[in-house]
Amino acid sequence: MTAPEGAAVHPAARRRFTWRAEAPVVAAVALGGGAGAAARYAASLWWPAQSGGFPWTIFWVNVAGCAVMGAFTVLATQVWPGRRLLRPFFGTGVLGGFTTFSTYAVDIERLVTTGHTGTGLAVLAATPLAALGAVWLAASVTRRALKARHSS
């Protein structure tokens, strides 16, 4: 039951309602984030970075995550628009936990402070360019594939 329009609602009742409405979203983000972070951690164990070298694992994790986000965003808005928890779980959670621009920043700082300034600057420039390019390319390819699928 809701209060009549314009009627005052007790703040505690408003908080309860908001929490009940948002709890599934928070849980979806948390579960997805845990899965994405575990996948990134596994990638860093399988392909550890060389000290002073280009951090290829984190570079490719970020580029791959951004590519998947580009395709996923198109699919989530055009194919699965009514799925309330899909974007929080997969987009914010899984892909947000998988990609890591904080580690990207730490890698640059470590490279620069240990005398590998050129490599640090290469990471600084290459990662956002490749990540943005991956989002754009994946979204474009996905849009074209959907258009071709609908026109045939």
Side-chain angles (χ1 to χ4, degrees):
M1 183 162 116
T2 60
E5 193 171 320
V9 177
H10 192 275
R14 187 174 303 134
R15 279 192 301 273
R16 264 193 315 274
F17 173 76
T18 301
W19 174 244
R20 284 186 188 141
E22 297 303 321
V25 175
V26 172
V29 171
L31 290 170
R40 175 178 22 94
Y41 180 67
S44 71
L45 292 178
W46 290 331
W47 303 290
Q50 301 289 332
S51 180
F54 195 97
W56 288 109
T57 303
I58 297 304
F59 174 82
W60 287 116
V61 159
N62 286 333
V63 171
C66 287
V68 172
M69 180 58 85
F72 171 71
T73 300
V74 172
L75 293 170
T77 57
Q78 294 182 16
V79 178
W80 310 303
R83 308 237 169 117
R84 179 175 175 248
L85 297 179
L86 181 62
R87 285 197 277 182
F89 173 76
F90 192 75
T92 305
V94 174
L95 294 176
F98 183 64
T99 57
T100 173
F101 287 89
S102 58
T103 300
Y104 152 79
V106 168
D107 285 343
I108 294 166
E109 189 271 334
R110 282 187 189 147
L111 287 165
V112 170
T113 59
T114 59
H116 300 94
T117 305
T119 304
L121 291 173
V123 173
L124 178 68
T127 300
L129 289 173
L132 290 171
V135 169
W136 176 82
L137 182 62
S140 297
V141 167
T142 305
R143 275 190 209 98
R144 285 186 185 170
L146 288 175
K147 189 180 245 184
R149 183 176 151 209
H150 290 295
S151 65
S152 57

